[in-house]
Amino acid sequence: MRKGALIGCGFFAQNHLHAWRDVDGAEIVALCDRDRTRLEETARRFGIERVYTDADAMLAAEDLDFVDIATTVETHRPLVELSASRGRHIVCQKPFAANLDDARSMVSAAERAGVMLMVHENFRWQSALRAARTEIDKGAIGTPFWGRVSFRSAYDVYKAQPYLATDERFIIQDLGIHILDVARFLFGDVATICASTRRVNPRIRAEDVATMMLVHRGGVTSVVDCSYASELPRENFPETLLEIDGSEGTLRLSAGYRMVVHNGGGTVDKDVSPPVLAWAERPWHGIQESVFNIERHFIECLESGRAPETSGRDNLETLALVEAAYRSAAEGSRSIAMAEFA
Ligand code: NAD
Ligand code: 89V
């Protein structure tokens, strides 16, 4: 049994803890939060007795295989470097780091310490998105040449995550990072990107709409579009929708988790709805299932010694896209070569 501790007992960490209870071969034995009230409430909810308000004290006192960092971004670098210096394997929430230099230092710290470092970049672990990738891998639409990865909503994300309304950066850094990672997952790494952003909601500080065009190294052109300002007749939060055209057919993942694959052999219309896990709640269930999937992947990687799909090193590519998108938007949607971030 791999013993872990969770740092940060806030909003999203509750999903981590529910999912860890379902992952074979892992157990969360200690919790840390510098907010004692949150710490104690969470400890009671999950029946975890060993609690700390200081991560260093916890790492010194506990015999742990791994730490799961579910704090907000500004604390990721110190907590990752601390955990690596104590020889613990690490899962760290997205955004992995506030900037690429920090992220590179975190990857180096883990590599020097010989510990596994995975970014909790969970969107690509949603079963509907994996079902789409399986169709591409099977060759159901031939060679993809164009794609759209789209997330448009007016869901009130600020209620549970108030920092999203006040942070200097919003939709690309918080949500676009997932959607850009899904574009990489489906179409591979990126040669150039351009972006435009805007703030529609006057009550928040940063951009809540972003449209990006990516030219992938393998030849696909994709559009990644994100909005938290789109009042639709049906609220699709938190579904990521896909349109993919290939040399032999097309794939569409539409609202309601409906996947349609069309090619010379006909049209197949499939319901790829995620399961609603026992502890999950609509509309978050697809995200909640992906938390379980990524945690299970982390433990499988620890057991096999394989690098996680969303390792710290892999995530440098996603984070570079975030930086490039902001740079492009600030420079009149200039096309940015990803080589600028090498
Ligand atoms: P939150 O503010 O609700 O919780 C963060 C908690 O961390 C707080 O309780 C805070 O007291 C604690 N904390 C901060 N620094 C600490 C430190 N040094 N030591 C101990 N405790 C510390 O935040 P949240 O909304 O739960 O978001 C946490 C992270 O999860 C963010 O990076 C966010 O982007 C990410 N998130 C991811 C998803 C997803 O689907 N992957 C969804 C929501 C949030
Ligand atoms: O995944 C996230 O980071 C969340 C949400 C899906 C609400 O944007 O902030």
Side-chain angles (χ1 to χ4, degrees), residues 207-222:
E207 85 291 350
D208 52 0
V209 176
T211 309
M212 296 162 267
M213 189 180 92
L214 286 60
V215 178
H216 296 258
R217 286 186 209 141
V220 175
T221 298
S222 72

Side-chain angles (χ1 to χ4, degrees), residues 229-241:
S230 300
E231 290 283 355
L232 291 158
R234 167 198 169 132
E235 175 53 73
N236 297 322
F237 179 86
E239 291 184 50
T240 302
L241 309 184

